[in-house]
Amino acid sequence: MASERASTATGANYDAPTTRRRNIPSPSVSRAQVSGVEHDEKKVHIKQTQQGLLQFISEWEFLIAPLVFTALAFFTRLYKIGLSPIVTWDEAHFGKFGSHYLKREFYFDVHPPLGKMLVGLSGYLAGYNGSFEFKSGENYPEELNYTFMRAFNAFFGAVCIPLAYYTARELNFKRPTTYLVTLMVLCENSYTTISRFILLDSMLLCFTFTTVLCWARFHRLQHESFSAEWFIWLVLTGISIGCVCSVKWVGLFGTALVGLYTIEDLWNKFGDHKMPKVQFASHVGARVVGLILVPALIYMLSFAAHFAILENSGPGDAQMSSLFQANLRGTEVGKDSPLEIAYGSRATIKNMGYGGGLLHSHIQTYPEGSGQQQITCYHHKDANNEWWFYPNRNQPDFDPEADPQFVADGDVLRLIHSQTGRNLHSHEVSAPVTKAQKEVSCYGNVTVGDEKDHWQVEVVKDVASSDRTKIRTLTTAFRLKHVSLGCYLRAGNVNLPQWGFKQIEVTCVKENNPADTFTHWNVEAHWNEKLPAADAGAYKSPFLQDFIHLNVAMATSNNALVPDPDKQDDLASQYWQWPILNVGLRMCGWDDSIVKYFLLGNPIVYWGSTASLGVFGLMVAWYLVRWQRGYDELKQHDIDHIHYAGLYPVIGWFLHYLPFVAMARVTYVHHYYPALYFAILTFGFVADWMLRKQMRAVQSAVYGALYASVIGLYLLFIPISWGMVGPNRQYAYLKWFDNWKISD
């Protein structure tokens, strides 16, 4: 064995024939031959090394590729992010909302609170104290680290890129298509721009992307039902739905997409006769918990945190119930207010319907109908919300020197507007908007009037006392019945036109429905020098009531955001302009001295994704015609791929786009951005499907051209995202169309 090891080590061969011939001269080996052998060995070694490296990259591509894309995403979203030191576009709104969280002041906005709480968190981490007012166009103060706050938002925009990569993989796209989809998200100029400011859109997009990814992964695990991974992705889908809906209600459209998928999935399972009933019930139960209860819990928790943080009185108090306001620190609601209402008391009266405001009047009159002084409901506090409680005209005149006489259930009285001295009045005139109901106006004065100024008090409930015979500040809910007409004072969620300042219409409704909370009223603030003050903070408002109240108020205000025909909004745009990239948006002033940003997309991304929607429709029609003619070139896995990787992104696009077609509210280009993502996924599917059977050379040429176009146009238009410095005329080469107002 030792001799064998020695021979192996030395390379000598001691077999018998060689031993007998060891003295025979062997043919000489030239140096050239030796050198050639060594060269070949090196080439083989290099080739093996390259193959090993390529194999390593291929095996770990699912980590390496997204890491590279993510690094590029953070670079493109963060580069020169603090270049412009001024409050840009809607930073004036959302930065201010973040300030309210830092000062813990209650405010009102039409969007749910999660995204704005995250803005507040970014300010807290940046060391900001909430003192800046975020007025549009103003310079940020030196002590405010606005760059960090913008970078915090940019994080959400940057992580959309790896989310898009993994979503494309879960949709079973080929690797070149996965790269294409990821590049289209990475190199979408509008996504880059919108992520670089203190706005909610990057968060909305991020949670939209997570919802689609979790749904796609959950679908891939359909044959592993009730496994640990299946449950994890089901719950993650629910969490994502909860988060996206807690940023903006646009998230409900993504919720609808997952809901449609769930209905179809359960319907298919319901038709599976081999599935035990208990198993089917388990599928239903799991989805109810994961896709309904979990999102609802996340959504409600965001409001619970919102209420817990905003414990101080602020500009949004009037949107909430009187009881809620009375428990805010620093509030004037209920402060030093007497508990029981007496004749001669001055008070503000709040509608208890969800989103209700304060009973209000002003000197302006109705342009039609009676032409008398307008009555509205108004959410902001001013002296025009104050009313005197006076006896009716059949009773003795009010004597301010007499002992207080308390207002009781069933009393007939007058309400006199404090500022104008006119009586709350109704008559046989149709309301200005809700024609089936009666107009309510202000008419006459203390001495001039008639029985149509009389209202009867009907107590509905009192949250603090079982004694319903008296009207109490904050706690008593009552209705006001018009004595002559028999109708009830009501303030629904109908807004008056511009002549009524978009305030809520107040009417008198014939239907006697005690459950209609829009006919319920309560006294919010109360002044009477003859009565002692009460403790207004003794009663708490239930969370669920506050939660519903605020959400209805949000919906009401959102519906009121309609275009004003008397004003021109140069930033607004129409739904039809978005998919064809017909218009952009100037995010700030256009002076040569400031850094300018223009919200516009990458042309190839927009036009290509929009065209792919039509191509997909033609593809489906083509295969339906061929199927009807008896062709069966599509296997079941092909049909499933078209169904889930093609059709569902198209449905997602329609769900996110069509509501804005029917929506009456004012719209802007950024409303299209969630829908754009689904159009990009559709483009990916169409490219993947049409190129999958082509020769490698054709695939390489087409994908190469697409990659180059996406990247090239992104770099061409990158100044509009990173900031245009100097005269805008030097960027005139980017103004391809007149509506692209990049330069004057």
Side-chain angles (χ1 to χ4, degrees):
M1 292 295 293
S3 63
E4 290 176 7
R5 285 195 296 271
S7 67
T8 303
T10 61
N13 189 354
Y14 290 99
D15 58 0
T18 306
T19 303
R20 286 193 297 269
R21 298 176 55 193
R22 65 174 177 245
N23 294 323
I24 301 173
S26 59
S28 61
V29 179
S30 67
R31 290 186 178 181
Q33 289 175 313
V34 173
S35 176
V37 171
E38 291 176 350
H39 182 70
D40 291 340
E41 288 177 349
K42 287 181 180 179
K43 289 174 64 177
V44 170
H45 178 70
I46 293 171
K47 187 174 182 179
Q48 289 176 342
T49 303
Q50 291 175 340
Q51 288 176 343
L53 180 61
L54 290 174
Q55 185 177 357
F56 173 81
I57 293 174
S58 180
E59 289 177 356
W60 292 93
E61 181 270 344
F62 71 98
L63 286 178
I64 296 173
L67 284 174
V68 172
F69 281 122
T70 303
L72 293 171
F74 275 98
F75 172 74
T76 57
R77 271 60 178 173
L78 294 175
Y79 182 67
K80 293 184 177 180
I81 196 169
L83 181 62
S84 175
I86 67 172
V87 178
T88 303
W89 196 38
D90 277 353
E91 285 185 330
H93 297 299
F94 301 115
K96 181 170 60 180
F97 296 147
S99 298
H100 288 311
Y101 284 107
L102 295 174
K103 293 187 290 185
R104 309 192 72 171
E105 294 176 342
F106 193 83
Y107 73 94
F108 174 77
D109 181 47
V110 297
H111 300 302
L114 178 60
K116 292 165 292 184
M117 284 193 289
L118 290 172
V119 171
L121 175 62
S122 72
Y124 175 79
L125 295 175
Y128 169 49
N129 61 8
S131 59
F132 185 57
E133 294 185 5
F134 280 89
K135 291 183 178 178
S136 183
E138 281 195 357
N139 279 64
Y140 283 105
E142 292 183 2
E143 64 272 14
L144 200 165
N145 190 353
Y146 67 93
T147 301
F148 179 88
M149 294 181 69
R150 286 177 177 175
F152 184 92
N153 272 53
F155 169 83
F156 292 93
V159 298
C160 288
I161 281 73
L163 291 171
Y165 169 85
Y166 284 113
T167 300
R169 281 176 59 97
E170 293 302 330
L171 292 176
N172 207 25
F173 292 163
K174 303 296 183 183
R175 186 175 294 177
T177 309
T178 300
Y179 293 163
L180 176 61
V181 168
T182 311
L183 268 178
M184 291 177 76
V185 175
L186 171 66
C187 297
E188 171 45 44
N189 295 84
S190 61
Y191 284 176
T192 300
T193 310
I194 205 75
S195 299
R196 293 164 58 85
F197 296 96
I198 305 171
L199 307 171
L200 301 186
D201 299 273
S202 61
M203 302 170 192
L204 174 67
L205 288 171
C206 178
F207 292 127
T208 299
F209 280 46
T210 59
T211 300
V212 178
L213 171 60
C214 293
W215 160 77
R217 181 59 186 163
F218 176 71
H219 170 68
R220 288 287 292 272
L221 295 168
Q222 60 181 323
H223 298 301
E224 301 177 35
S225 298
F226 305 113
S227 65
E229 188 178 4
W230 183 86
F231 273 114
I232 288 172
W233 286 101
L234 173 64
V235 173
L236 286 175
T237 305
I239 292 173
S240 294
I241 289 172
C243 288
V244 72
C245 291
S246 299
V247 173
K248 283 188 177 183
W249 280 348
V250 172
L252 292 171
F253 306 145
T255 306
L257 177 67
V258 177
L260 287 174
Y261 167 81
T262 303
I263 292 170
E264 181 195 6
D265 185 37
L266 291 176
W267 181 253
N268 291 334
K269 286 178 170 55
F270 180 71
D272 184 0
H273 297 288
K274 297 180 181 179
M275 179 176 290
K277 295 180 180 178
V278 174
Q279 186 177 352
F280 176 74
S282 299
H283 274 289
V284 174
R287 286 158 175 79
V288 168
V289 172
L291 301 178
I292 297 178
L293 297 184
V294 169
L297 180 63
I298 297 293
Y299 186 74
M300 294 179 73
L301 283 175
S302 71
F303 280 88
H306 178 72
F307 292 143
I309 295 170
L310 304 181
E311 62 180 4
N312 298 324
S313 177
D317 294 4
Q319 291 284 351
M320 300 303 294
S321 69
S322 302
L323 268 182
F324 178 89
Q325 295 178 56
N327 287 278
L328 292 172
R329 293 181 182 177
T331 184
E332 294 297 322
V333 174
K335 183 179 180 181
D336 300 327
S337 290
L339 181 61
E340 296 173 338
I341 311 300
Y343 288 101
S345 290
R346 178 167 52 93
T348 59
I349 303 172
K350 184 174 177 63
N351 185 263
M352 298 184 71
Y354 296 118
L358 295 161
L359 189 65
H360 176 95
S361 187
H362 39 237
I363 60 172
Q364 284 78 13
T365 59
Y366 290 111
E368 55 185 28
S370 69
Q372 295 174 3
Q373 187 171 302
Q374 296 174 17
I375 293 288
T376 66
C377 259
Y378 188 49
H379 289 109
H380 298 279
K381 298 176 182 178
D382 63 27
N384 281 326
N385 302 330
E386 297 172 7
W387 299 83
W388 294 96
F389 283 79
Y390 263 50
N392 67 61
R393 298 189 184 280
N394 300 323
Q395 294 176 316
D397 292 341
F398 171 68
D399 182 3
E401 303 300 326
D403 292 335
Q405 180 184 352
F406 294 103
V407 176
D409 182 26
D411 279 7
V412 176
L413 48 73
R414 287 181 294 157
L415 290 170
I416 300 178
H417 189 238
S418 173
Q419 293 298 300
T420 62
R422 299 189 182 278
N423 304 287
L424 185 69
H425 182 91
S426 189
H427 38 222
E428 287 286 355
V429 177
S430 295
V433 178
T434 312
K435 297 295 185 181
Q437 299 172 18
K438 303 303 178 186
E439 178 193 89
V440 178
S441 64
C442 256
Y443 170 72
N445 52 43
V446 175
T447 57
V448 176
D450 54 29
E451 71 281 356
K452 293 179 182 177
D453 303 333
H454 293 171
W455 301 85
Q456 184 176 31
V457 177
E458 294 184 1
V459 173
V460 178
K461 63 181 178 180
D462 193 309
V463 297
S465 174
S466 58
D467 180 12
R468 298 189 178 185
T469 61
K470 294 182 178 179
I471 307 298
R472 295 175 178 83
T473 306
L474 298 175
T475 64
T476 303
F478 58 89
R479 299 198 297 166
L480 291 171
K481 181 180 179 180
H482 194 265
V483 175
S484 297
L485 301 179
C487 55
Y488 290 86
L489 190 70
R490 188 178 193 274
N493 285 326
V494 177
N495 293 89
L496 292 170
Q498 189 59 45
W499 53 256
F501 308 102
K502 303 290 185 180
Q503 295 172 12
I504 295 175
E505 179 190 39
V506 175
T507 62
C508 201
V509 60
K510 278 286 188 181
E511 288 77 17
N512 181 7
N513 180 12
D516 182 7
T517 57
F518 294 105
T519 62
H520 295 184
W521 303 84
N522 71 269
V523 171
E524 182 171 281
H526 176 204
W527 300 271
N528 193 317
E529 296 177 355
K530 292 188 175 183
L531 300 175
D535 180 13
Y539 314 112
K540 292 289 184 181
S541 184
F543 165 74
L544 189 60
Q545 176 177 310
D546 295 335
F547 169 77
I548 297 173
H549 189 110
L550 181 54
N551 274 268
V552 175
M554 288 158 52
T556 304
S557 297
N558 193 54
N559 291 336
L561 297 175
V562 296
D564 187 346
D566 299 328
K567 296 180 181 178
Q568 181 177 347
D569 189 347
D570 292 332
L571 301 181
S573 54
Q574 299 295 318
Y575 66 89
W576 62 266
Q577 297 176 292
W578 307 335
I580 59 175
L581 202 61
N582 178 259
V583 68
L585 185 149
R586 290 183 176 183
M587 299 182 70
C588 54
W590 228 241
D591 296 338
D592 292 345
S593 59
I594 65 174
V595 182
K596 295 165 283 294
Y597 297 89
F598 193 74
L599 205 52
L600 186 74
N602 186 324
I604 188 66
V605 174
Y606 265 74
W607 296 335
S609 61
T610 300
S612 70
L613 297 166
V615 172
F616 179 82
L618 293 174
M619 251 177 50
V620 171
W622 168 260
Y623 284 118
L624 284 174
V625 170
R626 289 180 63 81
W627 173 76
Q628 184 67 19
R629 294 293 297 170
Y631 294 93
D632 60 350
E633 69 251 62
L634 294 180
K635 307 303 180 186
Q636 186 58 46
H637 66 85
D638 294 324
I639 296 173
D640 290 340
H641 185 58
I642 294 173
H643 186 180
Y644 293 105
L647 181 60
Y648 269 97
V650 172
I651 293 174
W653 181 84
F654 275 105
L655 287 173
H656 284 79
Y657 179 67
L658 288 183
F660 291 100
V661 176
M663 208 174 284
R665 63 155 290 171
V666 61
T667 52
Y668 302 95
V669 292
H670 67 284
H671 289 143
Y672 184 66
Y673 293 167
L676 175 62
Y677 178 53
F678 291 95
I680 290 173
L681 292 177
T682 305
F683 185 92
F685 171 81
V686 170
D688 189 79
W689 184 267
M690 297 182 72
L691 294 172
R692 62 177 182 159
K693 293 183 180 179
Q694 299 297 326
M695 294 184 297
R696 183 176 295 273
V698 174
Q699 292 185 18
S700 300
V702 174
Y703 280 115
L706 289 173
Y707 295 162
S709 300
V710 171
I711 297 171
L713 286 172
Y714 179 68
L715 295 176
L716 177 67
F717 282 89
I718 201 63
I720 69 174
S721 301
W722 287 354
M724 295 179 283
V725 181
N728 64 74
R729 290 176 296 280
Q730 68 184 15
Y731 300 97
Y733 65 94
L734 298 176
K735 188 178 180 181
W736 292 6
F737 304 99
D738 290 338
N739 282 348
W740 294 8
K741 298 179 181 179
I742 298 173
S743 66
D744 294 328

